[in-house]
Amino acid sequence: MRPAVFSLMLVVFGLTTGEFVIAGILPEVAGGVSVSVSAAGMLVTAYAIGMIVGGPVVTVLTARVPRKRLVVGLMLVAVLANLGSAIAPNYPALLATRGVAGLVVATFFAVAIATAVSTAAPGKEAAAVARVALGMNLGIVLGTPIGATIGQSLGWRATFVAVALCVAAALPLVLRFMPEQPGTADGSVLGELRVFGDREVWWAIGLTALGNIGVVTVFTFITPLLTDIAGFSARAVPVLLLVYGVGAVVGNQLGGWLADRSLLGSVAGLLAALAGALSLFWLVGGNRIGAAAMVFVVGALAFAIIPGMQTRVVAAATVAPTLAVAVNASGFQLAAAGAGRLGGWVIDEGTGLRSLPLVGAALTAMGLAVAAVMWWRDRRRSQVPLGETVEQR
């Protein structure tokens, strides 16, 4: 692995920890700012909204900024925002700081992924994405359970301090190994927006949003699912998050390997498996052994779909891949934003906490439908004779 990619992967680890650790300390945060658990789930939505807005806006506005300077600036904003979360005096202030923390993440992920893809050997693009995404996996495997343990032992505010320190610790490596590269915009910055005139880009972004909303809904409320439904103690949650993360590492590597062989075919198959796993989680979620096993399986499948989805966006957006990947990250956060709100509604007004995995399975089936349509369109396009369009057939 190139040193620059390795340093970016470490930053991804810190940013991912900051994003996902809230799932491990949700009850503590809720108690600390005197709101319900369902209301605390809106903190995930606030972070997601920051990414949704920040993905396209920050990426377009910084398209001319040299990559090293941009990465350092994004890291500093993330550090300050997480420190702001640690000292937030009330729920509205915490919502605001989580939103600010999310503003820079999509652009950072886009730069890291675009760098990995551009340096990959032909036919190995998805595997390169998987290597960068390893930082995300490690953030779940190590960062999230460690952050949850810190939150339970020293208070939830200490968790956000730890996240800030983690990102800051990667700064010397970025300064040492990140090469001096120019911005990605050759002409007008606004000219990059022409990438969104391509329908294939929107299909790919829609696949990311719909394919992830189900599993993110379940993960957002994984702590109460494990404690209130499966009967685990709060101290068992970090260990179970570690199990989820181990599954994520395995699934990420498998997903990259499969996507390099059949991109949309593998994504469709993995989404079908994920919908089935979430349904099984609903059936066995009240049993500790069954719930623990499904935590691993769901983690593996949730991250197995990511390399293929990201690679599809880069392949579709040859004009401005960094901007498209940033917006695709925003598509994932549309899923996260919907997950926080939808999950809270299901718990308070709908069928209750116990039904969340089944709701997640139904939502995942929507993503499967999109993947199936895209796969069918690609196969049909490949069978069109030279000189004839799909529409003419």
Side-chain angles (χ1 to χ4, degrees), residues 185-223:
D186 295 327
S188 169
V189 172
L190 293 180
E192 291 219 327
L193 295 174
R194 67 186 183 276
V195 71
F196 298 117
D198 190 334
R199 288 183 298 175
E200 293 303 315
V201 173
W202 286 112
W203 273 98
I205 292 171
L207 174 62
T208 295
L210 290 176
N212 283 282
I213 188 170
V215 71
V216 175
T217 298
V218 174
F219 186 79
T220 298
F221 296 93
I222 192 68
T223 295

Side-chain angles (χ1 to χ4, degrees), residues 45-199:
T45 300
Y47 192 97
I49 290 173
M51 284 190 68
I52 292 166
V53 174
V57 173
V58 174
T59 302
V60 168
L61 293 179
T62 60
R64 291 181 178 274
V65 178
R67 301 295 89 179
K68 186 172 185 176
R69 187 185 307 170
L70 173 60
V71 165
V72 171
L74 296 175
M75 290 175 64
L76 291 177
V77 172
V79 169
L80 293 175
N82 279 286
L83 289 176
S85 296
I87 63 174
N90 50 44
Y91 178 64
L94 185 56
L95 276 173
T97 58
R98 297 319 295 153
V100 173
L103 281 174
V104 300
V105 176
T107 300
F108 188 92
F109 283 0
V111 172
I113 290 172
T115 299
V117 170
S118 66
T119 58
K124 300 294 183 181
E125 292 85 359
V129 172
R131 284 194 290 272
V132 174
L134 180 61
M136 185 184 300
N137 302 149
L138 293 174
I140 298 175
V141 171
L142 299 176
T144 299
I146 290 173
T149 300
I150 291 173
Q152 292 173 4
S153 302
L154 303 176
W156 62 269
R157 296 180 185 277
T159 297
F160 291 117
V161 172
V163 170
L165 292 175
C166 181
V167 176
L171 185 58
L173 291 175
V174 170
L175 291 172
R176 172 65 179 84
F177 294 114
M178 183 72 183
E180 297 285 356
Q181 295 179 329
T184 58
D186 295 327
S188 169
V189 172
L190 293 180
E192 291 219 327
L193 295 174
R194 67 186 183 276
V195 71
F196 298 117
D198 190 334
R199 288 183 298 175

Side-chain angles (χ1 to χ4, degrees), residues 283-322:
L283 288 173
V284 304
N287 176 274
R288 291 186 182 182
I289 295 177
M294 294 315 301
V295 164
F296 174 85
V297 173
V298 169
L301 292 171
F303 279 80
I305 63 177
I306 290 177
M309 289 180 173
Q310 294 283 17
T311 304
R312 177 67 177 191
V313 173
V314 174
T318 56
V319 174
T322 302

